[in-house]
Amino acid sequence: MRKIVIVEDEPDLARNIAELITLLGYTVSGIFNNSKSCLLYLSKNQVDLVILDILIKGEENGIELGKTIAGSYNIPILFCSAYTDELLLQKVKSINPRGYIVKPFTREILKTNIFLALNDKLTPSSVAPPNNDKDTFHIRDKGYVIPVEVKDILMAEADGLYTKIITSDKSYLIRAILKNIEAQLPQNKFLRVHKSYLVNLDHISSFNSKGIKVNNNNIVPVRRGYYKSLKELFSSKKDKVY
């Protein structure tokens, strides 16, 4: 039976969530109201999901705890909070959680989010652990690690909390924001031409002030004021069309 940890500083709400989780057929293996006790438990026990509030007791808030969990444990995180302001959501987004439940919520909303968070078959691919081979980019897809040749990656496109990796013959949906993908690819090969697009320089076939044609097929927008920089970058390449 899947084990779920709840991190919530309101005791009554924590008990209510735990009761709903139990009714849905899962096991609540721990309830905590602070980061320290939660991390201590995670270091000694196997957990399948952490349901995490933003405001918790102690020096660290839920977002900081989420970053620690994401960086140290391979455990899905499901945020649960009443806050929806954009600045906070941007911070949450950087952690790549499996979902974000807005309080108050119904049993059905909780059921759906937990189900999606726990079932790998219903979730996109994820980035595999970093490797020392700079010529390949490892993607975890349906339980398998797929080594993708960096030279075959045409571009990467942001899609909310995910990123679409587009190669010459296949696309992968990665559970990671574009910024994190960019950090794992060679900077001398890939260029952020737009807030939502990262392009392999070797596959840019032509461009103008409005867009870039990748591999003579995909067309992506160019961020304002970037055309001049692109032109200078490719000034020595006569085979490019400006």
Side-chain angles (χ1 to χ4, degrees):
M1 189 174 291
R2 300 294 188 93
K3 298 179 180 179
I4 299 176
V5 160
I6 300 170
V7 184
E8 167 64 57
D9 69 336
E10 296 184 25
D12 291 340
L13 181 55
R15 284 192 292 269
N16 289 339
I17 295 175
E19 183 178 345
L20 288 175
I21 289 173
T22 302
L23 290 174
L24 291 173
Y26 303 106
T27 297
V28 177
S29 59
I31 299 176
F32 307 99
N33 63 8
N34 64 86
S35 173
K36 186 177 180 179
S37 58
C38 175
L39 291 175
L40 179 62
Y41 182 85
L42 294 180
S43 67
K44 299 179 179 179
N45 298 274
Q46 183 176 352
V47 174
D48 297 296
L49 178 68
V50 175
I51 296 180
L52 181 56
D53 188 15
I54 300 293
L55 296 181
I56 58 177
K57 296 185 182 299
E59 296 180 358
E60 289 190 338
N61 60 32
I63 295 177
E64 292 168 335
L65 173 57
K67 288 181 180 179
T68 302
I69 294 174
S72 303
Y73 303 94
N74 186 27
I75 303 173
I77 298 171
L78 185 58
F79 276 99
C80 181
S81 175
Y83 296 93
T84 58
D85 63 275
E86 186 174 347
L87 181 59
L88 183 144
L89 291 177
Q90 286 294 335
K91 293 180 180 179
V92 169
K93 178 180 176 181
S94 67
I95 303 173
N96 298 319
R98 293 291 179 88
Y100 192 98
I101 300 176
V102 179
K103 300 175 183 178
F105 54 87
T106 65
R107 172 179 172 177
E108 289 304 310
I109 290 176
L110 181 66
K111 175 183 177 181
T112 302
N113 277 272
I114 291 177
F115 181 82
L116 292 175
L118 288 173
N119 286 272
D120 292 336
K121 292 182 179 180
L122 295 180
T123 56
S125 309
S126 60
V127 179
N131 65 90
N132 295 322
D133 188 352
K134 296 180 180 181
D135 295 327
T136 61
F137 182 74
H138 289 179
I139 296 174
R140 193 182 301 281
D141 185 29
K142 298 179 180 178
Y144 294 89
V145 174
I146 303 173
V148 176
E149 294 285 338
V150 169
K151 64 181 179 62
D152 292 334
I153 298 176
L154 304 180
M155 53 189 281
E157 178 182 356
D159 186 7
L161 295 175
Y162 310 104
T163 297
K164 183 186 295 183
I165 301 293
I166 301 173
T167 69
S168 52
D169 57 7
K170 188 176 180 180
S171 295
Y172 302 90
L173 190 60
I174 307 299
R175 192 186 302 112
I177 60 175
L178 185 59
K179 181 180 179 181
N180 292 345
I181 298 297
E182 182 180 9
Q184 297 187 49
L185 291 170
Q187 294 183 1
N188 63 332
K189 291 287 186 181
F190 289 84
L191 188 66
R192 188 77 169 267
V193 298
H194 185 273
K195 66 178 181 179
S196 299
Y197 293 94
L198 183 68
V199 174
N200 188 332
L201 294 173
D202 292 337
H203 290 286
I204 294 179
S205 54
S206 61
F207 63 87
N208 57 30
S209 60
K210 295 182 179 180
I212 293 175
K213 185 175 287 187
V214 181
N215 203 33
N216 288 316
N217 187 21
N218 300 280
I219 298 178
V220 301
V222 178
R223 64 190 184 194
R224 182 177 297 180
Y226 204 65
Y227 174 64
K228 183 178 179 181
S229 298
L230 273 173
K231 197 169 182 178
E232 292 175 353
L233 181 63
F234 288 95
S235 61
S236 62
K237 298 186 177 183
K238 298 179 180 180
D239 58 329
K240 300 299 176 183
V241 180
Y242 301 125

